[in-house]
Amino acid sequence: MKASKETIFALATQRGKSGIAVFRISGKGSHTIIKSISSKKKFKTNFATLNNLLDGKGVIDQTLTTFFKSPKSYTGEDMVEISCHGSISVINKITKTLLKKQIRLAEPGEFTKRALINDKLSVIEAETINDLVNAETENQRKTAISNLSGNLDKLVNEISNKQKKLLADIEAIIDFADEDLPKEIYKNIKEQNKNIYKQIENIIERSALSRQIHDGFTITIIGKPNTGKSSFINYINNKEVSIVTNIPGTTTDLVSSSLDIQGDKYTFIDTAGIRKYKNLIEKIGIERSLESAEKSDLNIVFLKNNEKKNYSKIKSKIFVKSKYDTNKKKISGVHSISSVSGYGIEPLIKTISSKLKKKPISGPVFSRERHMESLKKSLLLLKSLDLKEIDIAAENVRRSIMYIDGINQKFDIEKILDIIFSDFCIGK
Amino acid sequence: MDNKFDVIVIGGGHAGVEAACSSARTGSKTALITHKVDKIGEMSCNPAIGGLGKGHLVKEIDALDGIMAKATDRSCIQFRMLNSSRGAAVRGPRAQTDRILYKNAINQLVSEQKNLQIIEGSVEDLIVLNKKVNGVILGDNKKISSKSVVLTTGTFLQGLIRIGSEKQEAGRVGDKASIKLAKRLKDLKFSIGRLKTGTPPRLLKKTINFNDLNEQQPDKKLVPFSFINRDIHIPQISCFITHTNKNTHEIIAQNLNLSPMYSGEIQSMGARYCPSIEDKIHKFKSKSSHQIFLEPEGLDSDLIYPNGISSSLPTEIQEQFVRTIKGLESVIITQPAYAIEYDFVDPQELTHSLETKKIKNLFFAGQINGTTGYEEAASQGIIAGINASLKTTSNKEFIIPRSSGYIGVLIDDLVTKGTKEPYRMFTSRSEYRLLLRADNADLRLTPLGIDIGCVDIDRQRQFEKKSKRIKEGFRLVKNHKFSPDALLKKGIKINKDGKKRNIIDLLSFSNITTPKLKKILPELSGLEDDVIEQIEIEAKYAGYLDRQRMDIQDFEKEENLKIPKSTNYKLVGSLSNEMVEKLSKIKPPTLGAASRISGVTPAATIALLRYIKKNKNKKAA
């Protein structure tokens, strides 16, 4: 017979040679199954126990094994975490041994999904865990961990509750047309609505700024061939900052490098690939770069002489003249740098980050497209609220709540009625 | 007297008469058994029908050829369209009715109904064999057999009336409670809860001074409740409005401990929208005055129903506080206000056809299911009656989806969510309010009624004509398109964007009205008012209606995913124990219904969806 809840396991750490590797096992059978392949027979919940894993013929590995009891675990189910030695052969042997038991490999994200179903996490928190696991920079980590502590859920609930109060007042006007409702109710509704959409506007603005924390900033480097673009990239890749990723361009012939500068992610797109078109007219090369320049947050233009006017179409830009070590002539409004000596690089980085980083962000922010879409749709409906058409106003507010609630929960009319009856004396 | 029927309906209240008539209309030989035949059609609380949400229900009952709207049209002494200045979707027709005229109308309609016999008697027990009901046993031990039974006993199950510290077992004032039947339901292990409701004192009209009170006049335009009626022929009279004041509040506050609700004697849950005057004063201390509607009980009645001061204070305190109110200074109370506590069955015991899950062919309708209001009761009555009848001949069920009517919303809310207080309809309960309007109840529901066979041939013919007229009207206004230039020639100015627009597009401009458009499309003059009305509403809500229609498509996708009755929720996996327990008890028929049960999370709905699909594939393979 099939167990009511399947027990699953997965390697929680990256596969490959390392000091230790961690297995996670979750589900009703997890404790019994692990006991059946352990030298220890008794485990104290939440305590790491030195334990030999056995496969029937002998010891597989010496491990630290921790038992978690439902509901106090990540998934909310009975769980076991095994820290073993991180060699491929140990990992393989443990995997094989577990597979022989009534237990299967977890699907991607299945542990988090179970946590979600067992109410250990909200939808937002589950999304945040993914952000946290994928955080590359300091600021991404900070945002993710603050969202994980429930800030976003609180914010969503706060807005949603205000919207529900707003809808309750509107519904009271409709459904209790012949009751003596307070005279100032229309004025109250307008004030409430304004207060809510101002708050949403504020959050959208704040979140748009912090979007760059999530996605990072894109900086395109353009300029004629041989102006020092690649040397600059090589220099900062090697010296100035840590490399996050290095992705060779596939379709655009552009190369990008992501760097963590003062906690933020900066992706530099090097249009060095344009050199291929060297034998064509240079203008074509510039036009190719324009495409990338158009999409980026900032552009660094490497000058050969003083051909600034060629780049008049480019919006946000910093001019740079490289090779300061060989030519010490400075031009006003142009950063002089040298990728050989490092001259001027630090001030340039400072200019870049000061141009991109505006004001510091305070308060929880939304970093996902899904969240932003919902906020924007909700905002649009509230901003155009017209109480002269109260039935349509109610419909718009109702839909605006559905968007906000869609971020983390579902809509329930009973809540609206609860508010109406607690706020107004209604009934004959 | 016959002792063999297809369907027996127990109770002659608003649920009972609709159930009996709809069962008979659907073709079953039906018996209506009631304590007292002369109480059939009695309005035991306020003398009014309809209102917001409730008016929608009455129209829907009528669309299924029920009797409530017809009786209202024959007894309406003050018609008002609530929210008449607002959009069509939130307008609610309401009638003050003459109690006697209403009761006479109901009695006439019931007696004219073919296939229906009235039996006076008290039902003491149900005959249940192998978890299936087979008939009833009367007080004199006489057995009457039937294939289905509809129970509509209202507040009569363990009814207990309270006035101050006095208590009395009763179904309503002057009527016995059904105590044995209540015990039987307990023995059958139905989950029973307790609710309370109240009613205000009745006042002697000639002892009221109306001179200085605000008069509320009837509407000039009377709209009949029934789609088959063209007019209301009853004289229209006014209601009057007065208010409580500081003195009233003082007396009540001082004597609060004498009200059983506050002395702790009554603990059952009352409706928040029907609070007693004690509640109003206690919970909303900042309000210095409360509105009271003085409603006439009839054209010739010498009684007034003071809507807004239901109470369970002792009679002498009632007299004291009532006399502090303007116009009521020397009023005489003919019947004191009282609170009544009664048993109700957890409606989660029922399926969407209102059949009980425990006992086959047994149906419950009305206040017994935890609702309040005549309209809510009648709505369940008509559905239970149709289904009780269908059950005797086929496996068909008649269920109105939430997306088609307020009756559907009412029943779906009850059977999936249950209720903790007397359930009343509001327009805000419907997610598709703009589509589910009082004006189009027939267009939405009469075709369903015709299909299932509960609509008489006369109404069917009349409906088919109307529906044809509307179709033709819409074809006309959709097919003719006009350019801004063509419109300008007839004096209608719009933006010269070169776009050709039809009549509905044009009507959505606030400055363009139907009379103006008759100049460019003279055929419009040939359309009847009800057709024009539908066209204008469609134009007014244009984008919103399309949006809701899309919502309904999404809703229907989930409704079409049936969950087999035999589903073992323990095998679904990924469901918490609490959720398994809830789902096993309620047995939602569709994925949609499951998702509406409180506490069922979106993630659980997805797990359920996967399980259903997997099992379907297994069976198909």
Side-chain angles (χ1 to χ4, degrees), chain A residues 117 171 174-175 178 186 389 391 394-396 398-399 403 410 413-414 418 421 424 426-428, chain B residues 52 83 86-87 94 272-273 280 307-308 426-429 433 540-541 547-548 551 574 595 600:
Chain A
I117 286 164
E171 293 292 1
I174 293 174
D175 266 337
D178 58 343
Y186 280 95
E389 310 245 28
D391 43 349
E395 175 68 13
N396 283 341
R398 187 182 274 261
R399 211 168 274 280
Y403 285 127
K410 59 177 184 176
I413 186 67
E414 285 299 326
D418 286 347
F421 297 122
F424 304 114
I426 272 167
K428 289 173 178 172
Chain B
L52 291 158
N83 279 336
R86 297 181 175 136
R94 197 197 51 204
R272 290 169 300 179
Y273 27 80
K280 290 185 193 180
N307 204 339
F426 299 107
T427 68
S428 49
R429 291 198 193 268
R433 179 163 62 194
K540 187 198 157 172
Y541 289 131
R547 207 53 189 284
Q548 291 207 332
D551 288 352
S574 314
S595 73
V600 173

Side-chain angles (χ1 to χ4, degrees), chain B residues 53-187:
Chain B
K54 289 168 173 278
H56 288 73
L57 290 174
V58 181
K59 293 290 225 182
E60 292 184 1
I61 293 165
D62 187 65
L64 297 172
D65 213 7
I67 61 174
M68 181 170 252
K70 292 181 201 169
T72 307
D73 287 344
R74 294 183 203 177
S75 58
C76 169
I77 55 174
Q78 188 203 53
F79 178 85
R80 285 183 67 219
M81 184 66 88
L82 302 182
N83 279 336
S84 60
S85 64
R86 297 181 175 136
V90 295
R91 283 177 214 156
R94 197 197 51 204
Q96 293 300 143
T97 51
D98 180 308
R99 279 184 197 285
I100 299 182
L101 293 180
Y102 186 84
K103 195 167 152 178
N104 290 347
I106 289 287
N107 274 288
Q108 192 181 1
L109 290 162
V110 167
S111 65
E112 284 166 5
Q113 180 61 53
K114 269 179 266 167
N115 283 342
L116 177 60
Q117 251 187 66
I118 313 290
I119 297 169
E120 188 168 77
S122 96
V123 173
E124 300 276 308
D125 207 354
L126 302 171
I127 306 170
V128 178
L129 273 173
N130 298 325
K131 300 199 164 178
K132 184 170 180 248
V133 73
N134 287 296
V136 302
I137 302 172
L138 298 185
D140 54 8
N141 255 335
K142 197 171 151 67
K143 285 182 188 172
I144 304 181
S145 72
S146 70
K147 294 175 190 157
S148 304
V149 171
V150 184
L151 199 61
T152 70
T153 48
T155 58
F156 279 64
L157 292 178
Q158 307 265 36
L160 187 63
I161 284 182
R162 292 178 183 265
I163 306 173
S165 57
E166 287 171 42
K167 40 186 167 176
Q168 182 191 344
E169 282 172 355
R172 64 187 159 216
V173 156
D175 291 307
K176 299 189 284 193
S178 308
I179 292 164
K180 269 199 185 165
L181 205 52
K183 192 179 168 293
R184 178 64 170 169
L185 294 182
K186 254 178 206 164
D187 291 347

Side-chain angles (χ1 to χ4, degrees), chain A residues 402-415:
Chain A
M402 276 158 65
Y403 285 127
I404 295 293
D405 276 1
I407 297 177
N408 73 348
Q409 54 183 3
K410 59 177 184 176
F411 183 86
D412 185 3
I413 186 67
E414 285 299 326
K415 286 198 181 135

Side-chain angles (χ1 to χ4, degrees), chain B residues 475-520:
Chain B
R475 202 177 305 137
L476 174 75
V477 296
K478 280 187 175 162
N479 284 352
H480 290 79
K481 294 194 170 180
F482 306 92
S483 67
D485 281 335
L487 289 163
L488 193 62
K489 277 179 199 153
K490 299 282 180 182
I492 300 168
K493 272 188 207 162
I494 62 167
N495 226 355
K496 283 206 172 181
D497 54 4
K499 232 173 144 183
K500 284 192 154 190
R501 292 180 167 85
N502 68 28
I503 298 289
I504 295 185
D505 300 333
L506 291 169
L507 278 172
S508 62
F509 289 91
S510 58
N511 59 332
I512 299 181
T513 58
T514 313
K516 271 194 194 172
L517 291 174
K518 285 181 181 164
K519 283 188 224 156
I520 57 162

Side-chain angles (χ1 to χ4, degrees), chain A residues 300-317:
Chain A
I300 304 182
V301 182
F302 277 69
L303 297 175
K304 193 156 208 164
N305 299 303
N306 195 3
E307 67 277 26
K308 284 188 195 165
K309 60 180 188 311
N310 287 6
Y311 301 98
S312 57
K313 278 186 194 158
I314 291 174
K315 294 170 297 181
S316 175
K317 63 201 164 212

Side-chain angles (χ1 to χ4, degrees), chain A residues 69-334:
Chain A
K69 184 101 190 92
S70 167
K72 291 186 174 173
S73 73
Y74 176 71
T75 57
E77 304 167 342
D78 283 351
M79 277 188 80
V80 181
E81 267 182 33
I82 300 172
S83 304
C84 62
H85 292 98
S87 76
I88 292 176
S89 66
V90 169
I91 292 169
N92 284 346
K93 187 73 190 175
I94 294 179
T95 305
K96 262 192 197 162
T97 310
L98 287 174
L99 280 173
K100 278 187 204 151
K101 301 280 168 184
Q102 292 290 312
I103 184 170
R104 68 167 169 80
L105 265 168
E107 289 160 27
E110 199 172 357
F111 284 91
T112 303
K113 205 179 85 194
R114 289 190 176 195
L116 195 70
I117 286 164
N118 293 324
D119 230 10
K120 299 293 286 188
L121 290 175
S122 73
V123 178
I124 295 180
E125 286 169 336
E127 285 169 333
T128 305
I129 293 224
N130 196 29
D131 287 348
L132 193 59
V133 170
N134 293 320
E136 292 176 339
T137 68
E138 177 62 6
N139 284 340
Q140 287 178 350
R141 182 194 65 77
K142 275 191 196 158
T143 309
I145 198 72
S146 118
N147 289 351
L148 191 59
S149 62
N151 278 345
L152 278 194
D153 282 298
K154 263 186 230 150
L155 186 61
V156 169
N157 289 340
E158 182 195 322
I159 298 174
S160 163
N161 286 338
K162 286 184 189 168
Q163 284 176 304
K164 281 171 191 156
K165 163 79 177 114
L166 174 70
L167 181 58
D169 285 4
I170 295 176
E171 293 292 1
I173 293 179
I174 293 174
D175 266 337
F176 302 96
D178 58 343
E179 303 266 352
D180 50 346
L181 294 170
K183 286 187 187 68
E184 60 284 2
I185 191 165
Y186 280 95
K187 209 179 121 215
N188 274 342
I189 289 173
K190 279 183 199 154
E191 270 168 27
Q192 284 179 56
N193 182 43
K194 198 170 170 192
N195 166 341
I196 298 166
Y197 76 66
K198 287 274 172 202
Q199 185 180 11
I200 298 180
E201 259 175 352
N202 202 319
I203 294 166
I204 291 178
E205 200 182 309
R206 192 162 83 199
S207 300
L209 280 175
S210 90
R211 262 297 272 282
Q212 291 164 328
I213 291 173
H214 196 260
D215 301 344
F217 302 102
T218 313
I219 299 160
T220 298
I221 297 177
I222 49 176
K224 290 183 182 182
N226 248 330
T227 46
K229 302 188 293 283
S230 301
S231 312
F232 169 70
I233 287 287
N234 287 340
Y235 181 88
I236 53 173
N237 269 357
N238 295 331
K239 301 261 174 78
E240 194 69 18
V241 281
S242 61
I243 303 172
V244 178
T245 46
N246 236 324
I247 313 152
T250 46
T251 54
T252 57
D253 285 328
L254 304 175
V255 177
S256 72
S257 312
S258 291
L259 311 171
D260 179 346
I261 302 173
Q262 292 157 16
D264 284 322
K265 181 176 165 188
Y266 290 75
T267 301
F268 289 90
I269 297 176
D270 184 6
T271 55
I274 288 160
R275 269 176 295 177
K276 276 190 184 169
Y277 302 94
K278 213 194 294 192
N279 48 0
L280 297 174
I281 322 165
E282 278 176 1
K283 234 185 158 187
I284 294 176
I286 292 170
E287 274 170 20
R288 293 274 303 184
S289 331
L290 280 177
E291 253 177 64
S292 165
E294 191 70 21
K295 289 181 213 146
S296 43
D297 300 299
L298 183 68
N299 298 289
I300 304 182
V301 182
F302 277 69
L303 297 175
K304 193 156 208 164
N305 299 303
N306 195 3
E307 67 277 26
K308 284 188 195 165
K309 60 180 188 311
N310 287 6
Y311 301 98
S312 57
K313 278 186 194 158
I314 291 174
K315 294 170 297 181
S316 175
K317 63 201 164 212
I318 298 175
F319 288 111
V320 166
K321 195 156 189 289
S322 187
K323 304 183 185 174
Y324 183 73
D325 47 309
T326 59
N327 179 1
K328 298 223 160 36
K329 198 183 147 204
K330 290 198 178 183
I331 307 169
S332 78
V334 175

